[in-house]
């Protein structure tokens, strides 16, 4: 069929379709008039004319060759087109429903009052209800919302306008099964021509997991903040320095106020600055290895440096934690410097006590040794003195003099040991330092001689006396001499020891120098510290110089250590002379007090040689002497014979000297004032107490004959004077 014909046919068809409403209008008017009862034929004539005109027009539009079927075909074609449109609409609706039903999100349409007109399967599954139940007119979405959420939803719908029909919100929906779920809705409002909201089409999704996660994160952050605040409050309230440092870096993440004030650390310090308070980085590395292995370390000892730069001993307790997503070490630092000092002091006191116990044991041993040595020494000294005094042979006198000198030397050594071992309170008096030096050299003579040490002394004559304790000062000088002798063993010959005494003003100075290996500056700095020693184990305790310093300080003096000229060590002891008292000059052999009348004397000693020697000396002075070998025999003699003077040993088996004294108090009280004790042991505390309480005179062994005879004469003279004064009264 030609295209022009098709176009003509289309136009005619369109014209016919346009005229159809007019025909229907005319027909309607006719019917209206008919039913209205109007009998005028004019309307019908007009309608008829119109129909004729219409038919003519149709005839013109549709040519005869098309025939009448063409008009019917046109009308039939229109009906078919409408059917196809309806089918397309149904297919489109079906596709829409298919798409909507396949969505996992919720799709609903609802009136502003909350009544549903459409729901997809996803929403039905979420509500656990059927579509029929949700679309039932009795179901209203607003009724299941909590009151506050319902208010928010109504306000949300009120904000939708034709100009802004789209909006979203999150609602806490109360589901039909009683659970509550957070849903996010994107709403689109549909409005009528008057702008009224008639329907809302919504697309939603369940966001409960996200909301709960956010709530959990918020609660966790809140809890974390509260815990951080609690931790800071606790950490700032603890008096110990607390530091949190990142292991990698390292970096200071937290410090409390004590850490700032004591160690000078601050938050933000990185690298070397962050570990600058550790005295030894290797120590920190050791701590980290233990911490990474076990996660916890307690009582780790480390040296640290304070903000003032001083060193302190610390105990570090550490925990492996996570802070800010980083592995970190939380460390609490306890300053134990004072504890370590106290422990050192306790150790020093323990060592002092140990040395004291050793000295006490040595003292007890020396007491026995002295007693056993002093008895024979007294015999040797006594008889050698008598040989010197009464012999006419010069050869014999010379030999006796040598025996006497040797015995005296032994006696001095014994007395020196006893003086060092005595446990008595310091007693101050005038001390000749030159004599102390001589006694110290005599005591150490064997060791110095065997080591081949050359001794050089320069002792100033007429040196002022020092007011002090002779035994303690003797201990100081002896210790310095022995130390020098031990040091000289480390160097080849010649080995020299020099001791010089000088006096200037009110100060007496003693110099002790050697040419030994000397001491380094580091050793000299610590030489007077308790227990510090460079000697091998078992060769020294490190308390000698410390004790020397203590004794010298107690005498208001000083002791210094320096390097001697040409090497070696040089000790300088300075002591104040203090007072002008001098040591009384000993009585000379030719000066004896006037001899009293012959006296009856009882000698009591369990050593027969001592008793015989004393008796012989006293008999040469004209006295009547009786010997008793123990205290019981002495008491028997006292009962039977009158005794003018009783000379007794203190240490005797059975009844000793103090026991004899107490027995005489009961038997003859006046005789206790005629008692003279002789002893080779004055170390025992009970003897010291006895002598102190009674005031009984005591002569120490070994006995010097002239001194002993003089004291006996003085005692007898005093008793005669006392007796004469009593008679005159």
């Amino acid at each position: 069929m030609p295209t022009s014909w098709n176009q003509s046919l289309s136009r005619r068809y369109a014209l016919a379709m346009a005229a159809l409403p007019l025909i229907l209008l005319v027909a309607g008017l006719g019917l209206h008039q008919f039913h209205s009862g109007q009998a005028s034929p004019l309307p019908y004539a007009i309608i008829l004319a119109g129909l004729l005109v219409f038919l003519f027009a149709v005839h013109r539009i549709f040519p005869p060759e098309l025939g009448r079927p063409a008009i019917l075909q046109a009308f039939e074609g229109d009906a078919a087109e409408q059917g196809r449109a309806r089918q397309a609409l149904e297919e489109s609706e079906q596709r829409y429903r298919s798409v909507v039903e396949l969505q996992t999100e919720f799709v609903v349409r609802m009136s502003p009052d909350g009544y549903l007109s459409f729901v997809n399967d996803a929403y039905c599954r979420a509500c656990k209800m059927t579509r029929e139940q949700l679309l039932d007119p009795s179901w209203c979405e607003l009724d299941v919302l909590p009151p506050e959420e319902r208010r928010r939803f109504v306000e949300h719908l009120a904000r939708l306008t034709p100009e802004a029909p789209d909006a979203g919100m999150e609602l806490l929906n109360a589901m039909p099964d009683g659970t509550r779920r957070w849903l996010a809705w994107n709403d689109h409002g549909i409005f009528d021509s008057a702008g009224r909201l008639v329907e809302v089409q919504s697309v939603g999704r369940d966001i409960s997991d996200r909301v709960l996660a956010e709530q959990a994160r918020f609660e966790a952050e809140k809890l974390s903040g509260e815990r951080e605040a609690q931790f800071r409050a606790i950490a700032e309230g603890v008096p110990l320095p607390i530091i949190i440092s990142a292991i990698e870096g390292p970096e200071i993440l937290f410090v409390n106020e004590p850490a700032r004030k004591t160690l000078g650390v601050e938050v933000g310090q990185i690298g070397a600055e962050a570990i600058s308070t550790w005295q030894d980085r290797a120590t920190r590395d050791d701590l980290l290895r233990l911490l990474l292995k076990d996660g916890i370390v307690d009582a780790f000892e480390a040296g640290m440096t304070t903000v003032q730069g001083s060193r302190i001993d610390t105990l570090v307790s550490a925990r492996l934690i996570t802070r800010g997503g980083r592995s970190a070490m939380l460390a609490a630092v306890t300053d134990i410097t004072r504890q370590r000092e106290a422990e050192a002091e306790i150790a020093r006191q323990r060592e002092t006590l140990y040395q004291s116990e050793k000295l006490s044991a040595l003292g007890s041993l020396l007491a026995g040794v002295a007693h056993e040595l002093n008895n024979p020494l007294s015999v040797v000294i006594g008889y050698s003195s008598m040989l010197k005094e009464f012999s006419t042979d010069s050869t014999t006198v010379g030999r006796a003099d040598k025996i006497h000198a040797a015995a005296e030397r032994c006696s001095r050594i014994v007395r020196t040991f006893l003086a060092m071992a005595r446990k008595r309170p310091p007693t101050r008096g005038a001390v000749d330092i030159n004599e102390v030096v001589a006694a110290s050299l005599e005591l150490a003579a064997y060791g110095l001689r065997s080591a081949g040490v050359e001794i050089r002394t320069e002792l100033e004559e007429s040196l002022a006396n020092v007011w002090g304790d002779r035994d303690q000062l003797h201990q100081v000088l002896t210790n310095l001499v022995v130390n020098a002798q031990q040091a000289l063993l480390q160097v080849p010959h010649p080995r020299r020891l020099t001791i010089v005494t000088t006096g200037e003003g009110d100060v007496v100075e003693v110099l002790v120098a050697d040419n030994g290996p000397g001491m380094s500056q580091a050793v000299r700095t610590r030489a007077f510290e308790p227990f510090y020693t460079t000697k091998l184990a078992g060769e020294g305790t490190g308390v000698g110089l410390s004790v020397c310093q203590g004794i010298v300080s107690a005498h208001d003096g000083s002791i210094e250590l320096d390097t001697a000229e040409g090497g070696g060590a040089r000790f300088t002891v300075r002591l104040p002379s203090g007072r002008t008292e001098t040591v009384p000059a000993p009585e000379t052999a030719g000066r004896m007090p006037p001899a009293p009348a012959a006296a009856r004397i009882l000698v009591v000693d369990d050593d027969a040689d001592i008793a015989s020697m004393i008796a012989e000396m006293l008999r040469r002075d004209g006295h009547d002497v009786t010997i008793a070998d123990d205290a019981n025999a002495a008491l028997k003699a006292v009962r039977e014979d009158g005794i003018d003077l009783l000379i007794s040993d203190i240490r005797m088996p059975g009844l000793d000297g103090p026991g004899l004294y107490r027995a005489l108090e009961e038997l003859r009280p006046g005789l206790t004032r005629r008692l003279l004790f002789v002893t080779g042991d004055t170390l025992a505390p009970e003897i010291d107490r006895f002598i102190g309480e009674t005031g009984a005179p005591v002569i120490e062994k070994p006995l010097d004959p002239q001194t002993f005879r003089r004291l006996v004469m003085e005692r007898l003279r005093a008793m005669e004077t006392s007796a004469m004064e009593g008679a005159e009264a």
Side-chain angles (χ1 to χ4, degrees), residues 611-612 614-627:
S612 298
I614 293 175
E616 186 172 348
M617 284 192 297
L618 295 176
R619 286 171 182 153
R620 285 183 177 274
D621 291 334
H623 299 294
D624 181 12
V625 182
T626 304
I627 298 175

Side-chain angles (χ1 to χ4, degrees), residues 314-603:
T314 67
L315 286 181
V316 181
S317 294
R319 300 292 185 271
L320 186 63
I321 65 171
T322 300
R323 188 174 179 87
R326 304 169 68 182
S327 294
M329 174 177 66
L330 185 152
V333 181
T334 303
D335 185 353
I336 60 169
T337 305
R338 291 185 178 179
Q339 179 182 337
R340 287 290 180 262
E341 291 174 352
E343 290 174 354
E345 176 63 19
I346 291 172
R348 186 187 68 79
Q349 293 180 1
R350 185 182 296 115
E351 181 63 23
T352 301
L353 179 61
Y354 171 67
Q355 296 298 328
S356 176
E357 290 175 350
K358 284 173 57 178
L359 192 59
S360 178
L362 178 61
S364 299
L365 178 62
L366 283 175
V369 171
H371 187 270
E372 294 302 318
L373 285 177
N374 282 331
N375 282 341
L377 282 175
S378 295
V379 174
V380 173
I381 292 174
Y383 283 116
S384 63
S385 296
M386 285 188 285
L387 278 175
K388 287 170 55 180
E389 183 178 354
F390 301 112
S391 179
T392 58
D393 182 8
S394 59
T395 303
T396 302
V397 172
R399 291 171 179 170
D401 191 40
K402 290 180 180 179
I403 294 171
H404 185 275
E408 280 288 350
R409 183 166 180 266
C410 292
S411 175
R412 287 194 300 271
I413 292 173
V414 170
R415 278 198 298 267
T416 300
F417 274 118
L418 289 174
M420 293 179 63
R422 276 194 179 99
K423 284 203 163 192
R424 292 179 179 174
T427 56
R428 297 297 177 93
V431 179
D432 186 343
I433 287 296
N434 288 341
E435 288 186 359
V436 174
V437 171
S440 299
L441 289 174
E442 186 175 45
L443 185 63
Y446 174 77
L448 293 170
R449 187 169 58 254
S450 63
V453 177
E454 176 188 342
I455 302 172
R456 184 175 68 88
T457 60
E458 296 180 13
L459 308 181
E460 183 177 312
E461 296 182 2
S462 303
L463 190 66
N465 293 322
V466 172
W467 189 257
D469 185 289
R470 187 183 188 281
D471 293 341
Q472 287 187 339
L473 295 177
H474 183 274
Q475 183 177 355
V476 171
L477 290 175
T478 300
N479 192 53
L480 295 179
V481 170
V482 171
N483 279 355
Q485 178 238 320
Q486 292 176 346
L488 288 167
L489 292 175
Q490 303 176 39
V491 297
H493 296 283
R495 299 167 177 169
R496 291 186 298 273
L497 172 63
T498 303
I499 301 180
V500 180
T501 63
T502 57
E504 184 176 352
D506 295 333
V507 176
V508 173
E509 184 174 288
V510 182
L511 172 67
V512 180
D514 63 69
N515 66 335
M519 302 182 190
S520 66
Q521 178 60 38
V523 173
R524 290 200 302 271
T525 302
R526 302 186 59 190
F528 294 102
E529 290 183 11
F531 309 110
Y532 178 76
T533 180
T534 58
K535 299 175 183 177
L536 297 176
E539 294 184 2
T541 62
V543 297
L545 290 179
S546 175
V547 171
C548 289
Q549 187 180 52
I551 292 174
V552 173
S553 298
H555 283 74
D556 298 324
S558 65
I559 181 170
E560 296 177 359
L561 169 61
D562 202 351
T563 301
E565 185 177 351
R570 176 190 181 100
F571 287 90
T572 304
V573 179
R574 296 182 179 88
L575 297 167
S577 59
R579 305 191 184 186
T580 60
E581 287 85 346
T582 59
V583 178
E587 296 286 350
T588 61
R591 295 180 57 189
M592 295 290 290
R600 289 169 296 178
I601 301 175
L602 176 63
V603 177

Side-chain angles (χ1 to χ4, degrees), residues 602 631-643 646 655 660 663-664 666-668 671:
L602 176 63
N632 291 320
L635 289 174
K636 183 178 179 181
V638 167
R639 291 189 186 96
E640 295 176 352
D641 299 320
I643 300 298
L646 194 153
L655 191 65
L660 176 61
L664 289 174
E666 297 180 0
L667 183 62
R668 293 182 59 182
L671 193 56

Side-chain angles (χ1 to χ4, degrees), residues 202-389:
S202 303
V203 177
R205 65 185 183 279
D206 191 336
I207 59 170
S208 298
D209 292 341
R210 178 178 65 80
V211 172
L212 292 176
E214 290 177 352
Q215 289 178 346
R217 185 175 65 254
F218 173 77
E219 291 296 329
E221 291 175 353
K222 179 181 178 182
L223 181 60
S224 176
E226 292 175 352
R227 289 179 176 175
E228 177 68 15
Q230 291 174 355
F231 167 75
R232 287 182 175 274
I234 294 172
E236 293 296 345
V238 173
L240 301 178
I242 295 179
I243 305 170
I244 298 179
S245 57
I247 292 177
E248 296 297 331
E251 179 182 355
I252 302 298
L253 304 178
F254 171 84
V255 293
N256 65 350
E257 191 61 23
R260 295 188 188 92
K261 290 183 177 179
T262 304
L263 303 175
V265 291
E266 294 290 346
V267 173
Q269 291 178 340
I270 302 176
E273 187 180 17
I275 60 174
S276 59
T277 189
W278 291 80
Q279 195 171 47
D280 184 4
R281 180 166 185 173
T283 304
R284 181 181 183 273
D285 294 340
D286 292 340
L287 173 61
L288 285 180
R289 279 193 292 272
L290 293 174
L291 186 64
L292 293 174
K293 176 184 176 183
D294 301 327
I296 178 172
V297 177
D298 286 323
F300 183 87
E301 294 193 27
M304 291 194 176
T305 305
T306 66
V307 67
Q308 292 83 14
S310 58
R311 182 191 183 282
I312 59 173
D313 295 316
T314 67
L315 286 181
V316 181
S317 294
R319 300 292 185 271
L320 186 63
I321 65 171
T322 300
R323 188 174 179 87
R326 304 169 68 182
S327 294
M329 174 177 66
L330 185 152
V333 181
T334 303
D335 185 353
I336 60 169
T337 305
R338 291 185 178 179
Q339 179 182 337
R340 287 290 180 262
E341 291 174 352
E343 290 174 354
E345 176 63 19
I346 291 172
R348 186 187 68 79
Q349 293 180 1
R350 185 182 296 115
E351 181 63 23
T352 301
L353 179 61
Y354 171 67
Q355 296 298 328
S356 176
E357 290 175 350
K358 284 173 57 178
L359 192 59
S360 178
L362 178 61
S364 299
L365 178 62
L366 283 175
V369 171
H371 187 270
E372 294 302 318
L373 285 177
N374 282 331
N375 282 341
L377 282 175
S378 295
V379 174
V380 173
I381 292 174
Y383 283 116
S384 63
S385 296
M386 285 188 285
L387 278 175
K388 287 170 55 180
E389 183 178 354

Side-chain angles (χ1 to χ4, degrees), residues 45-120:
I46 294 173
I47 292 171
L48 181 60
L51 289 173
L52 292 176
V53 173
F54 174 73
L55 291 175
F56 176 78
V58 169
H59 178 74
R60 296 294 299 170
I61 293 172
F62 297 100
E65 55 269 25
L66 289 178
R68 293 180 60 85
I71 297 175
L72 294 177
Q73 290 176 3
F75 282 102
E76 291 174 359
D78 181 59
E81 184 68 24
Q82 292 180 2
R84 285 194 296 273
R86 282 194 301 272
Q87 183 178 359
L89 180 61
E90 290 177 358
E91 291 176 354
S92 175
E93 178 72 14
Q94 184 63 35
R95 285 194 300 271
Y96 168 77
R97 286 184 176 274
S98 298
V99 172
V100 168
E101 294 301 341
L102 290 175
Q103 294 297 316
T104 57
E105 295 181 326
F106 312 141
V107 179
V108 300
R109 288 198 297 270
M110 179 179 61
S111 68
D113 297 333
Y115 294 97
L116 298 171
S117 60
F118 175 81
V119 293
N120 67 345

